[in-house]
Amino acid sequence: MADGTVSGRNARGEWRPESTIAPAPINHWPPRPGAVLRWLVGFPGYLWPLNVFWFVVTLVTWTWLTPELTAMKSLEFWWIALLLGRNMALALLLFGGLHLYFFVFERQGEALRFTLKPLATDSGRFLFRHQVRDNMFRTLVSAVPVFTGYEVLTYWGFANGYLGLLDASMGPALFWSWFVVLLVLTPFVHSVHFYFTHRLLHVRPLYRTVHGLHHRNVEIGPWSGLAMHPVEHLIYFSTVGVQWLLALHPVNALFQIQLAIFNAATAHTGFEKLKLGERLAIDGGCHFHYLHHKYFECNYGGSLAALDKLFGTFHDGSTDAHAAMRQRLRALREADA
Ligand SMILES: [Zn+2]
Ligand SMILES: [Zn+2]
C-alpha cells in the first residue's frame, strides 16, 4: 500500500506493508488441515525458525546458566542474585542488540520501518526526557526483577515439590509427551493470556493508572517492549501461572517466561521484519502490535490466537480495516453519550 509517494511512504513518512496481516491458519473456519500442517512444520512457520530458536535459548539458559534445582530448595541470596545478573545480561543482549542493530548502526536503514519519526530525545512524557533511557530504566529496574521473581518462585516450587506434582505418577513416555505438548502450546498460551490481560488493562481506571505508561511510546523501538508500569509487569509475566498448574518440568515454565520477554522485543522493533540477507526475514509480529500503539483500540493480542477477530477489534493494516475500526469507535462513543 504505497499511498502514492516515493519509496512507498506517505507525506508523513509512514510506510505500510503491501500485504495485510493474516491470522494464523488455525483460526480459519471451516478448518483447513493442509494449511495448518504446512504452517506447523513449514519454514518459516509456527515452530521454525523463530520459536525453535527461542527454545534453544531457553535450553542453553537452563543447562548452563541456572543452578541445580536441588540447590534452590531454600531461598538464598547467592542463587537469586545469580539469576538476576544473568537476566540483566539477557535483557541487555536481546533488547540492546536489537536497538543497536536497528537504531544505532541502522543496519536495515529505513527498509520496512513503519515511520521515519525518531524515538523521542527531549520529551516530558519520558523519564530523563529521553525515550530510550526511560525504556531501558523501566526494563532493567522493574521488568527484570519481576520476571526473575517469577523464575525464583518457579524453581523453589519445583525443588520443594510444590509444583510439577504429577511426575511421580506417570511413566517417562507420558512425561516427555506432555513436556512436548506444553512446549508446542507455549506461544499459544502466551497469545491468549496476553489478549485477555491486555484487554483488561485498557479498562479506563487501569489504563489511566497502569497501562497508559506503556502507551507513551507511540513510536516504538525494541526497548519499548517491556517499558511498562511494575503492576503491568506482574500481570504480563503471570502467564507462567498456566505452567505452574500444568507443567511437569521447570523448563516449560522457563520457556513461558522467556517467550514473554522475546515476544516483547520482537513486537516493538518498529520494523515489519528483521531482514537476514535477501531471502529470509523474521516476522516477530511487529506490524500487528505497531497498529495497536498507533490506534490504541485495536489488535490487543496477536495473529496466532486471533481473538481480536473473534471480538471485532482486528485491524489487518488495510484501508478497509481502518474504516471499520473508525466506525466501531464512533458507534461506541455514540452509545456512551
Ligand atoms: Zn506494546
Ligand atoms: Zn495497550
Side-chain angles (χ1 to χ4, degrees):
M1 237 155 292
D3 285 343
T5 53
V6 180
S7 73
R9 291 191 182 274
N10 67 16
R12 293 188 296 275
E14 295 165 338
W15 171 82
R16 290 188 284 179
E18 292 274 352
S19 53
T20 53
I21 303 165
I26 43 167
N27 298 286
H28 201 272
W29 191 261
R32 289 189 297 192
V36 170
L37 193 67
R38 274 196 303 281
W39 167 77
L40 264 178
V41 298
F43 181 94
Y46 172 61
L47 296 175
W48 183 247
L50 200 54
N51 283 325
V52 170
F53 174 76
W54 292 137
F55 180 61
V56 170
V57 176
T58 296
L59 268 188
V60 169
T61 310
W62 171 253
T63 310
W64 288 293
L65 301 170
T66 307
E68 286 291 324
L69 199 57
T70 47
M72 297 188 281
K73 255 186 137 158
S74 57
L75 296 169
E76 288 169 30
F77 176 79
W78 70 268
W79 67 266
I80 296 173
L82 203 77
L83 294 185
L84 193 65
R86 172 256 263 167
N87 287 342
M88 284 282 176
L90 175 76
L92 282 167
L93 198 69
L94 176 66
F95 295 92
L98 285 170
H99 180 75
L100 287 174
Y101 179 87
F102 283 117
F103 289 93
V104 178
F105 301 126
E106 298 180 346
R107 293 302 295 266
Q108 218 166 285
E110 294 166 359
L112 310 186
R113 189 170 179 219
F114 297 114
T115 175
L116 294 184
K117 284 189 191 149
L119 300 174
T121 50
D122 186 21
S123 166
R125 278 183 295 149
F126 297 105
L127 290 175
F128 321 115
R129 302 189 65 81
H130 193 284
Q131 185 176 1
V132 176
R133 287 177 204 156
D134 165 286
N135 290 179
M136 286 180 73
F137 179 82
R138 295 185 191 284
T139 302
L140 298 174
V141 174
S142 173
V144 171
V146 168
F147 73 72
T148 304
Y150 276 117
E151 221 187 313
V152 166
L153 285 177
T154 300
Y155 299 144
W156 175 80
F158 270 95
N160 286 287
Y162 304 141
L163 301 171
L165 289 172
L166 295 175
D167 66 335
S169 60
M170 58 171 60
L174 207 54
F175 179 96
W176 290 112
S177 304
W178 186 235
F179 178 82
V180 171
V181 166
L182 285 183
L183 273 191
V184 172
L185 286 178
T186 305
F188 193 74
V189 168
H190 175 83
S191 195
V192 173
H193 177 272
F194 180 57
Y195 177 85
F196 285 111
T197 52
H198 191 185
R199 198 82 211 246
L200 179 73
L201 285 162
H202 273 260
V203 173
R204 207 159 289 165
L206 271 175
Y207 185 86
R208 239 194 348 257
T209 52
V210 176
H211 187 54
L213 198 145
H214 181 64
H215 276 285
R216 289 180 194 172
N217 298 281
V218 179
E219 314 311 333
I220 50 175
W223 282 107
S224 310
L226 289 178
M228 303 167 178
H229 190 284
V231 171
E232 186 170 350
H233 287 139
L234 282 169
I235 295 170
Y236 181 65
F237 288 107
S238 68
T239 178
V240 71
V242 176
Q243 300 289 352
W244 284 355
L245 291 175
L246 300 177
L248 307 172
H249 194 286
V251 162
N252 284 120
L254 177 61
F255 188 41
Q256 194 76 65
I257 295 173
Q258 290 201 327
L259 201 70
I261 303 163
F262 306 145
N263 282 354
T266 58
H268 290 84
T269 58
F271 288 74
E272 187 207 9
K273 288 176 183 169
L274 169 67
K275 284 173 73 172
L276 295 171
E278 280 312 301
R279 299 182 57 146
L280 181 64
I282 302 290
D283 183 349
C286 190
H287 188 205
F288 192 101
H289 194 65
Y290 175 77
L291 293 171
H292 177 70
H293 275 266
K294 197 168 178 191
Y295 303 121
F296 304 102
E297 304 297 344
C298 65
N299 293 6
Y300 296 97
S303 55
L304 179 55
L307 291 162
D308 282 288
K309 210 161 165 71
L310 192 66
F311 293 112
T313 53
F314 181 53
H315 192 322
D316 66 5
S318 67
T319 316
D320 287 351
H322 197 65
M325 181 190 73
R326 292 179 78 104
Q327 196 175 356
R328 174 171 58 84
L329 294 178
R330 203 175 309 126
L332 278 176
R333 273 197 300 276
E334 282 167 11
D336 263 2

